[in-house]
């Protein structure tokens, strides 16, 4: 410790809008705090980004603080999208009003930060000395580190060189000069029209065209301010729970493909004329459906062709390698019109790449001389400012190394191994997919409340648990993967920085949903965190959003219907209800042939439905038993699932309608299962299948029948079954397992419903019979190899896991897939849910593996 060492409660890096508000909250709570700022003024992004045309792309009435109600009347924005100078003036106004500068160390850079496990303190080394602090807040912003231009010869040019992300503070005059602009992202699109007005000649070097719509600058329209003026507090409150942090943005439930061409064009024209990022999706599926998105993409292509006179230039400006809004769309002022100027030229780097920058200009297939080069090459977004500092956490681990394969955070706020390190709008939070001001305030408030909580509880440190962090990253990726966002090589994916891991960085679930999650974490005692104090460490481990996002959406939609519970119905009503529900589902993929027939069961005929692949036979065959708790269902009830399994396995699927309870109680279903496989094996030639390649499969109670059938066939000496694929099998009558409590309700199949099923099917004193509970068989050896799927949010999970372990212990080859985030019914939702697709694919592959190389390709 040196004489220049300072001790404070909180050290904050960055004096932008995040750092300023964080300082205000800490002061108000009675903490000592210091802000470290590399520049000589406040404003963050708006301090550094002074390039011509720099503006906000969120209406400035929305892109402003809400925590000081007096600002609503003390400050009036001159335009709907304020320019950089006006936004910086606003930042300075706030700093002066709240006397923030006295706790900001300007012209100071953070050189390193290290955590001391023994002292529970951070040592932050800066160019002006060390700071010791209990809490370390990174308020460095998502777009604060300009990307080093990855252009050959970038350092050779002897003329004027500028970067849009670190523009000089003095005026730059391009009058009469030959100027090159490299890059057509947001900063390029904003600056190019202004530079073109000054320069004698402007040459734009474009690697990838971006979508842009006109900003229609000027005063904010009166109709846009109606809700705000009516009740500013309510307006701000609405922003906090909205999808992107902009209030009163309608969310459409209509597909772009459901309306006529003329209706779509009218909606897109309105979007074009409105010019707001919050109103870019007049239809529900532009972000998730490529065909729907292409209607908007082609509309904007048409606009570009209408505006730009030269057809070749217009086509070069039309984005074709990514879908609309998979990169952040730009707002412009006359951008496309600029290419109609005689002094502007566009170079397509896809067809004519830069060979090198020279001392006097740029060489492509020709040599061009310039007086100035502007690099509008973007930022090392979201992580650059964080890993750019040497941050060392618990056990000497560096954050740079911890994030080597991509950033790992919990809620985008904290990361494992780095106690009391907080990241405002970090990777894994809505950040750049939102109105940043709303997201900044939410993070600052959450962090501040946490720090106050730690003080009141006498806690020394907090960090996420490994499980919570891993599953949060997975949850964020799951949502992204349901959209078109990851299909673009965007800075959302880190794709603009060579060598940077390609992972989706922001949280795409929406501002309101994210806020609810953060609030829930707090309400549940900082769920997913380990908190340490004088009394030791308390770990509140768990997963805050474990259900896959598409499954969760479906569950929410079902809950909104307020349907009666099946276990409250009569059997007849339950069957009618299930039949009606089945008629609403998508049919599943096409197969080569579907044949309905009858087979000989244990006590009379049983209906079956056969699904045949399109390839030539004879095929392997899997006898499939449907779900429905031994009470509900038929040979048709799992139709989409059977179609899917037929296509993926390239095998014939024979779905059998075994007898149901309560009319035919135990062991009727089990006896019918054995009779069905015996009949299929005996009639293989007539069915066009191979008796030597016979497997069984089933779901839920049907998986119970399939498992029992495998055991009974072994005891009966045949037929030979080479494999069993069991999806969420009921294998035991024991309700004491944790999954019956953890997943008792809310996931379609409930614990109460399982009691209803068992009560209809089997007397209590019979349930221990292996023909009812196959897990209780005295000898599981010699059974066919198995593929067992269990789902995380299923009452039957634990008994399925137990059966997989028991088979493996008996020497049976077992592939056990534990489907994370899935429910008992989600895997069968073919063409409804996306995330269970991998499970169905694994089931199909398992059957192929069981049948071996004899399956036709």
């Amino acid at each position: 410790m040196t004489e220049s060492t300072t001790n404070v409660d909180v050290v904050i890096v960055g004096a932008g809008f995040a750092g300023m508000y964080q300082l205000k909250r800490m002061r108000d709570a009675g903490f000592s705090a210091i802000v470290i700022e590399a520049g000589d003024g406040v404003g963050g992004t708006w301090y550094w980004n002074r390039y011509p045309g720099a503006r906000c792309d969120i209406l400035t009435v929305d892109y402003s603080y809400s925590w000081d109600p007096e600002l609503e009347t003390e400050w009036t924005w001159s335009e709907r999208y304020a320019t950089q100078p006006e936004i910086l003036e606003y930042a300075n106004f706030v700093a002066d009003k709240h006397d923030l500068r006295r706790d900001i160390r300007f012209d100071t850079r953070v050189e390193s930060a290290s955590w001391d496990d023994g002292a529970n303190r951070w040592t932050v080394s800066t160019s002006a000395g060390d700071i010791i602090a209990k809490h370390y807040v990174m308020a460095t912003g998502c777009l604060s580190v300009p990307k080093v231009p990855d252009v050959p010869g970038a350092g050779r040019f002897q003329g004027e060189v500028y970067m849009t992300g670190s523009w000089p503070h003095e005026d730059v005059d391009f009058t009469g000069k030959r100027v090159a602009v490299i890059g057509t992202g947001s900063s390029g699109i904003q600056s190019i029209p202004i530079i073109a007005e000054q320069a004698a000649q402007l040459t734009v070097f474009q690697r990838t065209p971006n979508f842009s719509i006109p900003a229609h600058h000027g005063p904010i329209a009166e109709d846009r301010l109606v809700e705000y003026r009516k009740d500013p507090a309510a307006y701000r409150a609405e922003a906090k729970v909205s999808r992107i942090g902009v209030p009163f943005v309608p969310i459409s439930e209509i597909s772009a493909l459901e309306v006529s061409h003329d209706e779509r064009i009218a909606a897109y024209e309105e979007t074009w004329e409105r010019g707001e990022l919050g109103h870019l999706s007049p239809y529900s599926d532009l972000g998730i459906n490529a065909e729907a998105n292409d209607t908007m993409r082609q509309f904007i292509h048409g606009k570009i062709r209408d505006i730009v006179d030269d057809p070749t230039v217009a086509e070069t400006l039309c984005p074709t390698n990514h879908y609309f809004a998979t990169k952040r769309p730009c707002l412009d002022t006359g951008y496309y019109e600029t290419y109609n100027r005689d002094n502007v030229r566009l170079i397509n780097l896809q067809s004519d790449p830069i060979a090198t920058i020279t001392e006097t200009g740029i060489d492509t297939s020709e040599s061009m001389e310039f007086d100035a080069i502007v690099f509008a090459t973007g930022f090392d977004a979201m992580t650059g400012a964080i890993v750019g500092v040497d941050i060392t956490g618990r056990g000497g681990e560096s954050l740079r190394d911890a994030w080597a394969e991509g950033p790992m955070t919990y809620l985008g706020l904290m990361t494992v191994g780095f106690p009391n390190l907080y990241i405002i709008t970090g990777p894994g939070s809505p950040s750049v997919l939102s109105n940043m001001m709303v997201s900044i305030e939410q993070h600052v408030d959450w962090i501040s409340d946490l720090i106050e909580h730690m003080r009141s509880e006498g806690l020394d440190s907090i960090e996420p648990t490994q499980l919570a962090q891993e599953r949060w990253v997975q949850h964020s990726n799951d949502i992204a993967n349901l959209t078109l966002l990851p299909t673009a090589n965007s800075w959302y994916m880190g794709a603009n920085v060579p060598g940077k891991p390609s992972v989706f960085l922001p949280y795409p679930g929406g501002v309101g949903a994210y806020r609810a999650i953060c609030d829930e974490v707090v309400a549940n005692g900082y769920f997913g965190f380990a908190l340490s104090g004088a009394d030791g460490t308390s770990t509140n481990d768990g997963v805050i959003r474990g259900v896959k996002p598409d499954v969760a959406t479906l569950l929410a939609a079902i809950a909104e219907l307020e349907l009666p519970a099946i276990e409250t119905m009569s059997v007849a009503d339950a069957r009618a209800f299930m039949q009606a529900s089945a008629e609403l589902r998508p049919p599943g993929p096409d197969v080569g042939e579907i044949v309905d027939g009858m087979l000989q069961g244990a006590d009379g005929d049983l209906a079956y439905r056969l699904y045949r692949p399109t390839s030539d036979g004879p095929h392997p065959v899997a006898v499939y038993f449907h779900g429905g708790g031994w009470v509900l269902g038929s040979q048709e009830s799992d139709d989409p699932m059977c179609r899917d399994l037929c296509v993926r396995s390239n095998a014939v699927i024979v779905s059998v309608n075994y007898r149901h309870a309560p009319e035919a109680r135990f062991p009727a279903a089990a006896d019918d299962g054995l009779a069905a496989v015996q009949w299929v094996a005996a009639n293989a030639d007539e069915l066009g299948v191979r008796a030597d390649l016979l497997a069984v499969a089933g779901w839920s109670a049907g998986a119970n029948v399939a498992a029992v059938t495998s055991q009974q066939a072994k005891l009966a000496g045949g037929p030979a079954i080479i494999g069993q694929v069991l999806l969420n099998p009921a294998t035991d009558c024991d309700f004491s397992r944790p999954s019956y409590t953890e997943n008792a309700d809310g996931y379609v199949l409930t614990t109460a419903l399982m009691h209803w099923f068992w009560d209809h099917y089997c007397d209590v004193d019979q349930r221990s019979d292996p023909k009812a509970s196959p897990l209780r068989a005295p000898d599981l050896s010699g059974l066919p190899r198995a593929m067992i799927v269990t789902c995380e949010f299923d009452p039957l999970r634990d008994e399925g896991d137990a059966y997989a372990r028991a088979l493996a212990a008996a020497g049976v080859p077992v592939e056990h897939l534990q489907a994370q985030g899935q429910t008992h019914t989600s895997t069968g939702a073919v063409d409804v849910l996306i995330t269970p697709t991998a499970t169905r694919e694994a089931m199909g592959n398992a059957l192929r593996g069981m049948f071996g190389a004899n399956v036709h390709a």
Side-chain angles (χ1 to χ4, degrees):
M1 188 175 296
T2 67
E3 292 182 2
S4 60
T5 298
T6 303
N7 283 273
V8 292
D9 296 317
V10 185
V11 62
I12 304 161
V13 183
F17 285 118
M20 291 166 62
Y21 181 40
Q22 186 70 65
L23 175 59
K24 178 68 167 55
R25 277 295 311 261
M26 293 295 89
R27 269 196 200 164
D28 289 349
F31 292 100
S32 57
I34 288 178
V35 176
I36 307 301
E37 170 56 50
D40 64 6
V42 300
T45 292
W46 302 106
Y47 172 90
W48 297 105
N49 284 263
R50 299 167 182 248
Y51 60 85
R55 288 178 182 264
C56 184
D57 64 0
I58 296 290
L59 291 181
T60 39
V61 69
D62 299 321
Y63 190 82
S64 54
Y65 282 132
S66 70
W67 53 267
D68 181 357
E70 293 179 355
L71 288 173
E72 309 287 7
T73 56
E74 292 174 339
W75 185 272
T76 301
W77 296 100
S78 65
E79 294 186 72
R80 64 199 310 253
Y81 298 112
T83 61
Q84 176 271 332
E86 186 173 13
I87 298 172
L88 184 59
E89 185 181 352
Y90 175 76
N92 278 287
F93 178 83
V94 173
D96 290 339
K97 176 183 178 182
H98 294 283
D99 189 24
L100 299 178
R101 299 177 200 277
R102 61 183 167 88
D103 289 321
I104 303 175
R105 292 186 177 178
F106 294 107
D107 297 313
T108 304
R109 290 190 175 274
V110 175
E111 297 170 347
S112 66
S114 60
W115 171 257
D116 185 329
D117 262 329
N120 289 314
R121 293 291 185 275
W122 283 95
T123 299
V124 181
S125 298
T126 78
S127 55
D130 291 349
I131 303 173
I132 308 295
K134 184 172 182 177
H135 303 280
Y136 180 31
V137 182
M138 294 292 283
T140 45
C142 298
L143 301 174
S144 57
V145 175
K147 189 191 77 170
V148 176
D150 56 332
V151 182
R156 292 174 58 187
F157 186 64
Q158 298 300 304
E160 301 172 26
V161 177
Y162 304 98
M163 294 186 68
T164 52
S166 55
W167 201 262
H169 289 198
E170 63 276 5
D171 289 338
V172 176
D173 187 3
F174 292 112
T175 302
K177 295 178 181 178
R178 299 164 299 175
V179 182
V181 174
I182 301 175
T184 53
S186 181
S187 62
I189 284 173
Q190 287 183 330
S191 62
I192 284 167
I194 295 177
I195 295 173
E197 293 176 356
Q198 298 179 0
Q201 181 179 355
L202 171 63
T203 303
V204 177
F205 293 82
Q206 173 189 273
R207 180 179 297 168
T208 304
N210 279 315
F211 290 99
S212 187
I213 63 175
H216 304 299
H217 293 305
I220 301 175
E222 287 299 313
D223 65 334
R224 185 62 177 76
L225 294 173
V226 169
E227 295 295 336
Y228 172 72
R229 287 178 173 162
K230 184 190 303 181
D231 188 344
Y235 183 88
R236 299 294 190 182
E238 172 68 21
K240 294 177 180 180
V241 297
S242 66
R243 180 172 52 88
I244 65 167
V246 175
F248 304 106
V249 175
I251 299 176
S252 174
E253 296 182 357
I254 302 172
S255 165
L257 305 177
E258 293 176 346
V259 300
S260 68
H261 172 78
D262 289 346
E263 186 175 343
R264 274 199 308 270
I265 295 301
Y268 293 155
E269 287 285 358
E270 183 180 349
T271 296
W272 183 266
E273 291 303 318
R274 189 179 188 102
E276 291 185 37
L277 294 186
H279 293 262
L280 292 183
S281 295
Y283 300 109
S284 63
D285 52 354
L286 295 187
I288 58 175
N289 184 305
E291 184 181 357
N293 188 287
D294 204 52
T295 63
M296 182 64 155
R297 179 162 65 171
Q298 293 304 325
F299 169 80
I300 297 179
H301 287 182
K303 285 293 187 181
I304 296 170
R305 293 172 186 134
D306 289 344
I307 295 170
V308 180
D309 296 337
D310 186 319
T312 301
V313 174
E315 292 307 311
T316 301
L317 290 167
C318 288
T320 58
N321 74 336
H322 65 282
Y323 293 103
F324 174 69
T326 54
K327 297 183 176 183
R328 186 162 178 131
C330 302
L331 297 176
D332 72 81
T333 304
Y335 173 67
Y336 295 118
E337 291 85 347
T338 297
Y339 293 96
N340 294 329
R341 297 177 62 100
D342 293 337
N343 68 326
V344 177
R345 181 186 180 192
L346 179 65
I347 303 293
N348 182 358
L349 295 180
Q350 296 294 332
S351 58
D352 192 11
I354 293 175
T356 187
I357 294 177
T358 68
E359 287 77 4
T360 58
I362 299 174
D363 288 353
T364 58
S365 60
E366 63 176 299
S367 295
M368 293 165 274
E369 293 189 348
F370 297 102
D371 301 304
I373 297 178
V374 175
F375 289 101
T377 47
F379 298 88
D380 185 351
M382 298 197 69
T383 60
I386 301 169
V387 298
V389 175
D390 183 15
I391 301 176
T392 304
R394 194 184 299 281
E397 182 181 25
S398 77
L399 186 63
R400 192 177 295 113
D401 289 345
W403 287 9
E405 302 301 321
M408 298 290 291
T409 73
Y410 183 38
L411 308 176
L413 280 159
M414 300 190 74
T415 190
V416 171
F418 297 83
N420 298 10
L421 170 64
Y422 315 96
I423 306 165
I424 298 178
T425 62
S429 73
S431 55
V432 294
L433 293 180
S434 71
N435 173 359
M436 287 294 293
M437 196 67 84
V438 170
S439 289
I440 282 169
E441 289 191 4
Q442 187 256 333
H443 265 195
V444 169
D445 288 337
W446 195 94
I447 292 167
S448 301
D449 291 345
L450 168 58
I451 293 175
E452 291 184 48
H453 170 77
M454 292 178 67
R455 178 177 61 184
S456 66
E457 297 296 319
L459 298 170
D460 295 319
S461 69
I462 182 172
E463 65 178 290
T465 68
Q466 190 69 43
L467 174 63
Q469 177 172 280
E470 288 177 355
R471 294 293 293 274
W472 178 255
V473 173
Q474 183 64 55
H475 170 64
S476 185
N477 287 329
D478 285 340
I479 298 176
N481 290 335
L482 295 174
T483 74
L484 298 173
L485 286 167
T487 65
N489 288 325
S490 68
W491 56 262
Y492 293 158
M493 298 287 295
N496 64 322
V497 179
K500 189 171 182 176
S502 183
V503 294
F504 196 77
L505 296 172
Y507 175 74
V511 169
Y514 173 81
R515 180 185 293 272
I517 291 168
C518 291
D519 290 347
E520 187 177 328
V521 166
V522 175
N524 289 318
Y526 287 95
F527 188 64
F529 284 100
L531 298 100
S532 299
D535 296 332
T537 299
S538 173
T539 301
N540 189 4
D541 204 2
V543 179
I544 189 63
R545 284 293 182 272
V547 179
K548 294 294 183 181
D550 54 342
V551 179
T553 299
L554 181 59
L555 291 174
I558 292 172
E560 287 182 3
L561 296 175
E562 297 183 343
L563 300 170
I566 291 176
E567 61 268 23
T568 66
M569 301 180 185
S570 68
V571 170
D573 287 345
R575 288 171 179 168
F577 172 78
M578 296 303 295
Q579 179 62 35
S581 299
E583 292 173 358
L584 301 175
R585 67 193 177 188
D590 291 333
V591 297
E593 181 184 30
I594 295 179
V595 178
D596 289 323
M598 302 296 290
L599 59 78
Q600 181 60 50
D603 186 24
D605 289 342
L606 300 173
Y608 72 83
R609 172 166 285 188
L610 181 149
Y611 304 81
R612 196 182 310 278
T614 56
S615 58
D616 294 334
H619 294 93
V621 60
V623 179
Y624 179 91
F625 301 101
H626 63 82
W630 311 281
V631 176
L632 311 174
S634 71
Q635 75 280 5
E636 303 176 21
S637 59
D638 291 359
D639 194 66
M641 184 71 184
C642 291
R643 289 169 176 261
D644 191 88
L645 198 57
C646 173
V647 171
R648 294 184 188 279
S649 66
N650 197 37
V652 165
I653 306 297
V654 179
S655 176
V656 178
N657 187 27
Y658 49 89
R659 287 172 290 163
H660 296 128
E663 296 87 349
R665 290 170 64 84
F666 174 81
D671 292 341
D672 282 344
L674 178 60
V677 296
Q678 290 172 335
W679 185 90
V680 170
N683 293 272
D685 291 343
E686 296 173 24
L687 295 173
V689 301
R690 293 181 53 175
D692 62 323
L693 293 177
L694 170 64
V696 293
W699 167 54
S700 191
N704 168 281
V705 175
V708 169
T709 298
S710 296
Q711 293 183 12
Q712 295 303 306
K714 183 189 78 167
L715 295 173
I721 297 174
I722 65 169
Q724 49 184 325
V725 175
L726 311 179
L727 171 62
N728 303 329
T731 66
D732 198 10
C733 56
D734 182 2
F735 282 80
S736 67
R737 290 184 172 88
S739 59
Y740 273 105
T741 301
E742 295 170 6
N743 305 317
D745 199 9
Y747 303 111
V748 182
L749 178 65
T750 66
T751 297
L753 182 55
M754 280 305 302
H755 279 288
W756 190 81
F757 285 144
W758 272 106
D759 289 344
H760 280 299
Y761 177 54
C762 190
D763 293 337
V764 174
D765 60 357
Q766 295 176 308
R767 294 180 187 180
S768 295
D769 190 314
K771 291 175 71 173
S773 295
L775 180 59
R776 304 202 177 200
D779 181 12
L780 296 176
S781 64
L783 290 174
R785 62 185 293 190
M787 196 274 192
I788 297 179
V789 177
T790 55
C791 291
E792 183 176 8
F793 296 95
D794 180 4
L796 302 186
R797 179 195 67 206
D798 292 351
E799 64 193 79
D801 291 347
Y803 195 58
R805 291 193 300 269
L807 287 177
V812 177
V814 177
E815 178 185 355
H816 183 198
L817 173 59
Q818 295 172 300
Q820 187 185 90
Q822 300 296 335
T823 66
H824 186 80
T825 58
S826 60
T827 303
V830 180
D831 293 335
V832 175
L833 300 174
I834 296 174
T835 57
T837 304
T839 301
R840 294 193 300 273
E841 182 177 358
M843 293 169 63
N845 289 339
L847 276 177
R848 282 179 177 265
M850 292 169 183
F851 297 137
N854 294 298
V855 177
H856 292 282

